[in-house]
Structures are given as structure tokens and as C-alpha cells.
Amino acid sequence: MKNLLTLAFALYLFPLFAQHAATVKHLNGQSVSTYALQKTIARLVDSARIAGLQVAIINNHKTVWTSSFGFKDVENQKPLNDSTVMYAASLTKPVSAYIFLRLADRGIFKLDQPVHTYLKKPIAEYPKWKDLAEDTVSFNLITPRMLLAHRSGLPVLRQLYGNKASLIARPGQKFYYSNEGINLLGFMIEEYTGKPLELIAQEEVFGPLQMAGTGMIWQKPFESNFSYAYFKDGKKYGSERRQSSRAAGSMSTTARDYARFYLQLMASKGLSKASLQQMLSAQIAVTSKRGFGSLRDSLTHENDAIKLAWGLGIGLFQSPYGKAFFHTGHGDANQNYAVAFPEKGVAVVLLSNSENFESVSAQIVKACIGDTYSPFKWLGHLDR
């Protein structure tokens, strides 16, 4: 009995120790002391004036190291910790894609069935989407696959187009990164199932994966340990407390929780083999200098070597270490990045509460896992 108790206690403690490993491995197999890594990240956080940063590193398909830097509340000098809830911004999108595909696996949705067939009314009769009245014929061509691969022709944000959600391209033709498109997907899911997206997310993702610090909307328990966000000059932005679900970016989470979600994708769990293959296969090549903005129609060969592309709700590229998937999260003053190399069992999740993170994101990712292939120039991080 004593031996059994000792074993049980050891198994209980193992996950805690596993997240404080003495070394982490880079993609090239080199071991790096976490003591040295802690110092390197702390230096980068300090030099870039990042208010706070959470880090979760995955090796051998396990979260082996988590750490936090800086403050969740700068004015009151309250340190950020691994359980502090952060705003995920567009890291929400891969989760929304995963939710849709789980529902598709059960026959509720089909990737290539037009979106309008899942709605109770013509799209223009919904106040939020009334601008599509002039594009009804083209809109009726849009499928969930197009929305997830950013091929729908919808703009990134209606606010950048005179507060109109009209199409800016014929559906299926071009890659235009679109928050509006992913939000439409979430609206379609809610409309057809009759359930709020936050409840579906809890049932399909956060509950099964034990992501207790994650919600599609703000949860009361988050009040005990959440982070404020800060602009470049250090002024407080405040905290994102979304009260309604947005499939493109309403989620709050922790780096440790989000690593659980990435581990699910890396281990090919939670989806049928066919759905996972679709999610992590190129749906459209990305040949533009940027996904949106003034450079969205400017072509480049800069990413040909890594075969930059978009899958279903997630970015993809190739490297000497195999295929990788990634996503960024960019709020008004929250900036995040997560990238995984499934064939190597290596990934990193970075959540920040600072507008200064992107200026050193490439250096932090390189320090954490030795990744020098993530498309930071395309993301615009190297311009900062």
C-alpha cells in the first residue's frame, strides 16, 4: 500500500515538475538550459519594454516548461503568473475551426455546403449582414471551407471599409485574411445549432481538454487573476472582457491552456483523420506580401521556400523540420504567437499584454525552440 501511495503521489507531481524541466530542446535537437532561457527572455522582455509575457514550450509532445515575465498590473506591480488569464485575440480562430470540424464530423455541417443553406433567413435580412444585400448572388457561393481558408472575399474588418461588410473579391478567388469571415462562421454555427458559441466551445474544447482558464467570453472566475494590457508607450489600455462570442477573436486563455489545445492537434486527436488532414493541408497558397491592408494585393516570392499557405482556420508552412502550423493574435494592446512542428513534437505558445511584443517576437521564438522559419516578415512583426 505504501508503494502504491508513493507511486500515486509521484504521478500527481510529475506534470508539475514536467513544466519546470532543467532543459528544453530546440528543433535541431540542441538542449538549452531553462536557466539560460529564462535570462534571455527576461532580457528581451525588458529591452522591448513588454509589460508581461507568458510562455509554454512543448517538447516530445508534452508541455515541459512554462514561465511568466513582467506584470499583469504594472501600476500596482502585480507580477504576471502562469495562471493569469490573457486575451487570446485571433488565437481564437483555430479553436473555432476545430469546433466547426468536430460538428462536421458528426454530420451537422459540411465543408462545401453553401453557408446560406444553414441560415434561417436570407443573409441581408440579418441587421449585422445587411450590407451583403447587393452581393446576394456571390454570397450564396460562399462555403465554410472558404470562410476558414480566408477565401470568402469578405474584408478583414468592416471598420476599414466604411463600416460595410460588402465583398471585396469574388468568393474562392483570393486569400484575404478576414475576421468578418470567421465571425460569420461562428454566427452560422449559432444560428443553425440554436446554441451560443461559448457553450459549444466549452462542450467541444475547453471542458474535454481541461482548459479551466479559458472561455469564449469573459467568465467571473477570471476576475481573480487577469491581466491588463498596455500600449507601446506604457499607457494602460485596460482589459478585454468580451461579453459576446466572436469566432474570430473573443477568447481569453493562458499559454498553458492553449498549449493543451495545440497538443491535441499535434497528436491528431479530437477530429477524424479526414478532418484533421483537411485542417492542416494547404487550402490556398499565400503569395501576398501581407494578408490584409495596402499590401494584400502585392505579390511576393519571399515565402516560396517555406510554401506559406492557409489550412482551415490556421496558417501553414514547411521547414527542414517538417510541416508547421501557426497563428498570431493581435489585439489593440495584446499580441500573441503560437507555432508547432508536429513531426518534431516541438511547439511554443506566447501570450503578451503589450503592444511591444511583436518587435521581438522572432527573437523570443528562436530562443525558445530555435525556429527561424516562422513568417514574421509576412505577419508584419519585423516592421515594428
Side-chain angles (χ1 to χ4, degrees), residues 199-365:
L199 177 59
I200 298 173
Q202 183 63 38
E203 292 173 346
E204 301 293 334
V205 191
F206 310 146
L209 298 186
Q210 299 181 339
M211 297 167 66
T214 304
M216 193 62 77
I217 60 173
W218 191 256
Q219 306 289 331
K220 188 174 181 180
F222 297 168
E223 296 286 346
S224 64
N225 188 5
F226 70 92
S227 175
Y228 291 107
Y230 296 85
F231 291 117
K232 285 184 178 180
D233 61 4
K235 290 183 179 177
K236 181 186 283 187
Y237 165 77
S239 64
E240 294 280 4
R241 303 182 183 202
R242 301 298 178 96
Q243 300 301 313
S244 61
S245 293
R246 294 290 184 273
S250 63
M251 189 174 73
S252 296
T253 190
T254 67
R256 184 168 53 193
D257 267 12
Y258 202 78
R260 289 176 180 266
F261 171 64
Y262 255 37
L263 282 167
Q264 184 82 339
L265 297 183
M266 293 170 72
S268 301
K269 293 181 178 179
L271 297 175
S272 68
K273 184 177 179 180
S275 288
L276 188 75
Q277 190 272 335
Q278 289 282 317
M279 184 178 187
L280 300 181
S281 292
Q283 303 292 321
I284 187 169
V286 177
T287 56
S288 59
K289 289 187 177 180
R290 295 288 188 278
F292 55 87
S294 61
L295 297 177
R296 71 176 189 270
D297 288 313
S298 299
L299 301 182
T300 180
H301 293 290
E302 292 174 343
N303 297 306
D304 288 359
I306 63 169
K307 297 183 179 180
L308 183 63
W310 221 261
L312 297 178
I314 202 159
L316 308 169
F317 65 88
Q318 296 189 17
S319 78
Y321 307 106
K323 295 179 180 179
F325 59 81
F326 74 97
H327 215 286
T328 185
H330 182 104
D332 288 327
N334 292 89
Q335 296 179 352
N336 313 312
Y337 187 69
V339 61
F341 296 79
E343 293 172 39
K344 297 293 290 187
V346 171
V348 64
V349 177
L350 302 167
L351 304 182
S352 87
N353 61 356
S354 171
E355 201 178 12
N356 291 321
F357 166 74
E358 290 174 1
S359 66
V360 291
S361 57
Q363 296 176 62
I364 295 174
V365 168

